[in-house]
C-alpha cells in the first residue's frame, strides 16, 4: 500500500519512504513504527500497542522507544514540539494526525515475501478474531456469540508473542461478508480466526477456523460442544478450548514460514523459529542445530528471552537423553541461560516455563523451578506447554497428584499437541512414583507409540512392567533402552534424572535394577 501525506509517500510494499520523490534513509524499526501509526491512524496508539506491534511484547527501554519515535518524526519532517503529523496525547499515547491518501501499489501481484513486508508489525505473528456468526436463528443470542469472541480475544492476548487486534476494531467487520485476505491487508495481520455459534435448547456448538490471512489457506478447524448450564462459565471454557487448540497450530505455521525465508534475511525471531524446528526433530543432530539457531538469535537480539530459555531446554534434553558431553560446563551454562531467560522474560510465559523446567531438572533448584512455573501459569493459564512443564516439575518435587492434575489440563488444552509424548511420559512417571504400576505402564506405552525411541518413556515402561511381573514387555523396553544408551548403569542414573525426594530416587534405582539395568 502507498500512503501519501504532504510531500511524503510511504510505500509498504517496497518499504520505502520518499520526500518530493527522493528516497529518505530510514531504519527498519523506524519504518515499522511509522507504518504502524499511519495504518492505525483512526485511534490512539498506546506505548503497549507499539511494544506489542513492533517488538512483540519484549521489554523495551524508555530511551530506546523515544529514540525510535524521534527518528520517525525526523524522517517525515516533524518534531516533538510542533507535532504536525505525530501527536502525543499526554498519559494516553500517540496518533498520526496528518491527512493521508491511500493508493494501490504499482505492482499488480505482490509476492508472499512482499506481502509479509507489508504487515508493518515486525516479525511477530499477528491475529484478528473476527465476529462469529450467530446460527441460532435468534438475534437476541448475539450477546452470547459476541461474548465468546471477546473472551477468545482476551485469552489470545495472554500470549506475549502474539499481536492481537483489539475487539473494537475486529467488530467493525460484524455483519459484513469479507475476504480474510482483505482483512489481513487492512489490519496488517498474518492470521484470522473466524467461526460460528449455534445454540439449540440446552446445547451449544462452536465451530472455528484458523486461516492464513496472506494466502487464505485453512490451517486448523474444529468444533466444540457442551451443555448450556452456566452461560458465563461456558464462555470461559469454550474460549480456553479454542485458544489451547490453535496455539500449537500457530507455532507450527510460524516455523514453516521461517523455514521458507532466505537465510541472509533472518531476524532474531526467525532464528528462534528455526531453532524450534530443530527442537521438534527429536534427534541429537536436530537439537544440536536448534542450539546453534538459539545462540544466533541471542546474538541478533540479546534482549529476546525465549532463545535463552529454549537453549537451556536443549541442555535439559541432553541430560534426559544421555547426550551430555561435559556435565559441569553444561550445567553451568544451563543455569546461566535459564536465569537470563526468566529475567528477560518476566512477562513471557513460554520463556518462564522452559527456564523453570531447566532450572529444576538440570540445576536441581526445585524451589526456583516451582516459583517460575507458577508465575508462567498466572500469566497465561491457556498455555498447554506451561501446564506440561509444571507436571514434570511437580514430578521432580514429589507432588505427583498435583503433577497428574496439571498434565491432564495440558492434554485438555492441546489434545493434538505434537509433544504429547512428553505429557504421557510425565503421567507415567507420576503414577510410577505413586505405586500405580498399571497406570504407569499404560501411559509409558502410549508415549512409546508416539515416540518409540524416547528413553524417558522406555525407562518407566521397563520399571513398571518389571515390578508388575510382566517379563516380556519389560525385556523389550530394556533391550531398546540399552540399544539407545549402552553406557547407562545404575551408578550413573542420577546423571539423567533428578528427583527431589530421596525415597523417590531410591524407588527409581530399585525399579531399574529389577528391570535388569546393570550396576
Amino acid at each position: 500500500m502507498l500512503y501519501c501525506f504532504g510531500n511524503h509517500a510511504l510505500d509498504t510494499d517496497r518499504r520505502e519512504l520518499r520526500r518530493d520523490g527522493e528516497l529518505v534513509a530510514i531504519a527498519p524499526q523506524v519504518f515499522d513504527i511509522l507504518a504502524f501509526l499511519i495504518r492505525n491512524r483512526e485511534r490512539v496508539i498506546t506505548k503497549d500497542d507499539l511494544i506489542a506491534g513492533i517488538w512483540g511484547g519484549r521489554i523495551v527501554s524508555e530511551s530506546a522507544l523515544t529514540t525510535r519515535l524521534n527518528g520517525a518524526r525526523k524522517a517525515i519532517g516533524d518534531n516533538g514540539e510542533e507535532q504536525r503529523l505525530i501527536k502525543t496525547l499526554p498519559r494516553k499515547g500517540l496518533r498520526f494526525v496528518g491527512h493521508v491518501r491511500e493508493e494501490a501499489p504499482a505492482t499488480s501481484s505482490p509476492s508472499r515475501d512482499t506481502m509479509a513486508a507489508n504487515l508493518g508489525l515486525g516479525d511477530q505473528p499477528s491475529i484478528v478474531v473476527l465476529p462469529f456468526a450467530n446460527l441460532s436463528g435468534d438475534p437476541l443470542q448475539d450477546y452470547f456469540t459476541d461474548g465468546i469472541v471477546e473472551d477468545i480475544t482476551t485469552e489470545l492476548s495472554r500470549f506475549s508473542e502474539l499481536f492481537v487486534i483489539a475487539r473494537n476494531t475486529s467488530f467493525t467487520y460484524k455483519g459484513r461478508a469479507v475476504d480474510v485476505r482483505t482483512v489481513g491487508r487492512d489490519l496488517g495481520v498474518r492470521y484470522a480466526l473466524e467461526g460460528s455459534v449455534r445454540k439449540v435448547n440446552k446445547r451449544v456448538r462452536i465451530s472455528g477456523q484458523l486461516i492464513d490471512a496472506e494466502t487464505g489457506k485453512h490451517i486448523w478447524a474444529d468444533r466444540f460442544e457442551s451443555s448450556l448450564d452456566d452461560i458465563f462459565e461456558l464462555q470461559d471454557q469454550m474460549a480456553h478450548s479454542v485458544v489451547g487448540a490453535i496455539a500449537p497450530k500457530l507455532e507450527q505455521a510460524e516455523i514453516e514460514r521461517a523455514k521458507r525465508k532466505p537465510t541472509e534475511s533472518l531476524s532474531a525471531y526467525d532464528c528462534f523459529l528455526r531453532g524450534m524446528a530443530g527442537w521438534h526433530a527429536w534427534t541429537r543432530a536436530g537439537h544440536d542445530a536448534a542450539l546453534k539457531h538459539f545462540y544466533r538469535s541471542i546474538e541478533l537480539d540479546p534482549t529476546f528471552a525465549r532463545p535463552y530459555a529454549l537453549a537451556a531446554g536443549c541442555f535439559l534434553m541432553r541430560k534426559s537423553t544421555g547426550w551430555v558431553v561435559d556435565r559441569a560446563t553444561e550445567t553451568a551454562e544451563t543455569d546461566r541461560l535459564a536465569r537470563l531467560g526468566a529475567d528477560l522474560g518476566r512477562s513471557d510465559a513460554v520463556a518462564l516455563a522452559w527456564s523453570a523446567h531447566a532450572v529444576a531438572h538440570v540445576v536441581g533448584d526445585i524451589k526456583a523451578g516451582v516459583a517460575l512455573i507458577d508465575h508462567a501459569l498466572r500469566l497465561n493459564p491457556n498455555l498447554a506447554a506451561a501446564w506440561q512443564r509444571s507436571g514434570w516439575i511437580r514430578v521432580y518435587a514429589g507432588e505427583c497428584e498435583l503433577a497428574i492434575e496439571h498434565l491432564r489440563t495440558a492434554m485438555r488444552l492441546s489434545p493434538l499437541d505434537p509433544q504429547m509424548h512428553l505429557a504421557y511420559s510425565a503421567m507415567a512417571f507420576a503414577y510410577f512414583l505413586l505405586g500405580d504400576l498399571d497406570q504407569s505402564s499404560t501411559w509409558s506405552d502410549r508415549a512409546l507409540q508416539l515416540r518409540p525411541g524416547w528413553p524417558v518413556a522406555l525407562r518407566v515402561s521397563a520399571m513398571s512392567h518389571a515390578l508388575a511381573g510382566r517379563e516380556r514387555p519389560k525385556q523389550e523396553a530394556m533391550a531398546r533402552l540399552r540399544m539407545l544408551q549402552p553406557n547407562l548403569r545404575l551408578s550413573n542414573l542420577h546423571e539423567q534424572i533428578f528427583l527431589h525426594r530421596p525415597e523417590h530416587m531410591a524407588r527409581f534405582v530399585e525399579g531399574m535394577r529389577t528391570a535388569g539395568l546393570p550396576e
Side-chain angles (χ1 to χ4, degrees):
M1 180 64 68
L2 191 64
Y3 296 101
C4 302
F5 51 97
N7 60 339
H8 289 84
L10 187 80
D11 190 333
T12 54
D13 282 357
R14 296 185 178 185
R15 291 184 65 81
E16 292 178 350
L17 174 66
R18 292 183 178 273
R19 183 188 303 121
D20 295 324
E22 296 295 322
L23 197 63
V24 177
I26 185 170
Q29 251 177 11
V30 173
F31 182 96
D32 289 339
I33 288 175
L34 191 55
F36 186 70
L37 290 172
I38 292 174
R39 184 174 285 113
N40 295 280
R41 61 191 179 277
E42 300 302 323
R43 65 185 178 95
V44 175
I45 301 300
T46 67
K47 174 184 173 182
D48 289 342
D49 289 336
L50 270 181
I51 291 174
I54 308 302
W55 287 277
R58 301 200 296 278
I59 297 173
V60 180
S61 68
E62 196 71 39
S63 62
L65 184 58
T66 301
T67 299
R68 300 297 189 277
L69 285 171
N70 288 341
R73 282 191 166 113
K74 182 179 179 182
I76 56 177
D78 199 4
N79 58 57
E81 294 180 0
E82 295 182 4
Q83 298 187 13
R84 294 181 300 102
L85 298 174
I86 300 176
K87 187 174 183 60
T88 299
L89 303 172
R91 294 183 297 279
K92 291 184 179 180
L94 302 160
R95 188 174 164 214
F96 192 91
V97 295
H99 176 71
V100 178
R101 185 178 75 258
E102 295 185 11
E103 295 182 5
T107 54
S108 58
S109 56
S111 67
R112 183 182 178 91
D113 287 343
T114 302
M115 291 172 69
N118 189 33
L119 293 175
L121 294 174
D123 290 311
Q124 305 306 306
S126 46
I127 189 170
V128 59
V129 184
L130 293 170
F132 282 19
N134 173 17
L135 303 182
S136 303
D138 181 3
L140 295 178
Q141 297 304 326
D142 276 358
Y143 79 93
F144 178 78
T145 303
D146 293 349
I148 290 285
V149 174
E150 191 161 354
D151 281 352
I152 292 172
T153 302
T154 300
E155 296 305 322
L156 279 172
S157 299
R158 294 178 184 268
F159 289 83
S160 60
E161 72 272 27
L162 270 180
F163 179 83
V164 183
I165 296 296
R167 180 257 191 212
N168 288 348
T169 297
S170 66
F171 268 69
T172 61
Y173 293 94
K174 186 173 180 179
R176 295 164 52 188
V178 294
D179 185 322
V180 169
R181 289 170 292 187
T182 301
V183 174
R185 287 192 295 271
D186 289 347
L187 300 181
V189 294
R190 282 210 283 268
Y191 304 101
L193 179 68
E194 61 179 14
S196 62
V197 177
R198 184 186 299 274
K199 190 161 74 74
V200 180
N201 298 325
K202 295 292 184 179
R203 305 288 298 178
V204 62
R205 174 184 292 173
I206 296 179
S207 298
Q209 303 90 36
L210 180 66
I211 302 169
D212 185 323
E214 295 179 48
T215 65
K217 178 182 177 182
H218 282 240
I219 298 172
W220 163 90
D222 205 347
R223 66 184 184 187
F224 308 86
E225 190 167 341
S226 182
S227 61
L228 188 60
D229 296 322
D230 186 314
I231 289 178
F232 299 110
E233 182 181 350
L234 181 62
Q235 285 178 336
D236 288 343
Q237 290 174 356
M238 289 296 190
H240 292 169
S241 297
V242 173
V243 171
I246 70 173
K249 295 297 182 183
L250 278 170
E251 182 183 69
Q252 291 172 32
E254 284 294 287
I255 288 172
E256 290 304 314
R257 183 192 65 82
K259 286 162 67 176
R260 290 192 295 268
K261 196 167 184 178
T263 55
E264 64 271 12
S265 60
L266 292 181
S267 67
Y269 189 67
D270 291 316
C271 286
F272 169 74
L273 291 172
R274 290 197 176 203
M276 290 302 297
W279 170 273
H280 288 305
W282 293 104
T283 63
R284 185 167 188 168
H287 276 78
D288 287 346
L291 194 56
K292 291 178 181 178
H293 283 301
F294 292 143
Y295 276 128
R296 177 57 179 157
S297 180
I298 291 168
E299 182 183 334
L300 289 170
D301 185 354
T303 67
F304 187 12
R306 288 196 188 182
Y308 290 95
L310 267 296
C314 285
F315 287 113
L316 160 71
M317 194 59 57
R318 289 164 76 98
K319 177 176 179 177
S320 298
T321 52
W323 298 337
V324 172
V325 177
D326 183 335
R327 188 162 308 280
T329 299
E330 293 187 22
T331 300
E333 179 65 353
T334 302
D335 195 18
R336 183 187 76 87
L337 289 165
R339 306 284 181 183
L340 280 168
D343 185 50
L344 292 168
R346 288 186 294 271
S347 60
D348 186 342
V350 174
L352 287 169
W354 281 104
S355 294
H357 196 178
V359 164
H361 186 254
V362 181
V363 183
D365 190 343
I366 281 291
K367 185 176 180 180
V370 169
L372 290 173
I373 198 64
D374 283 349
H375 183 38
L377 291 173
R378 285 192 296 271
L379 284 172
N380 190 351
N382 306 309
L383 185 61
W387 287 104
Q388 191 188 98
R389 300 301 107 209
S390 182
W392 273 111
I393 292 169
R394 262 62 195 211
V395 169
Y396 306 144
E399 302 171 348
C400 296
E401 292 89 350
L402 185 59
I404 291 170
E405 178 184 329
H406 286 197
L407 291 163
R408 290 193 184 280
T409 301
M411 291 186 284
R412 186 167 61 251
L413 280 172
S414 186
L416 300 177
D417 197 322
Q419 299 184 44
M420 190 63 80
H421 65 287
L422 295 177
Y424 288 173
S425 301
M427 288 286 281
F429 216 145
Y431 277 117
F432 174 78
L433 294 177
L434 288 171
D436 191 334
L437 300 178
D438 287 339
Q439 285 280 12
S440 179
S441 56
T442 296
W443 285 105
S444 60
D445 290 347
R446 284 183 184 176
L448 292 170
Q449 288 173 3
L450 297 176
R451 189 72 55 179
W454 180 230
V456 177
L458 286 170
R459 290 196 291 263
V460 182
S461 179
M463 291 189 296
S464 302
H465 288 305
L467 292 175
R470 294 186 284 266
E471 190 66 20
R472 183 173 178 180
K474 175 212 78 172
Q475 290 179 346
E476 290 176 352
M478 180 54 69
R480 288 159 67 190
L481 179 63
R482 295 294 307 282
M483 184 180 299
L484 289 168
Q485 299 183 331
N487 297 323
L488 187 64
R489 299 288 187 273
L490 292 174
S491 58
N492 60 21
L493 267 177
H494 66 281
E495 296 179 356
Q496 294 190 27
I497 187 68
F498 170 78
L499 294 173
H500 183 61
R501 294 187 180 181
E503 65 271 25
H504 284 169
M505 193 65 193
R507 178 173 175 78
F508 179 69
V509 172
E510 186 55 35
M512 292 301 288
R513 178 180 285 112
T514 305
L517 188 67
E519 294 288 339

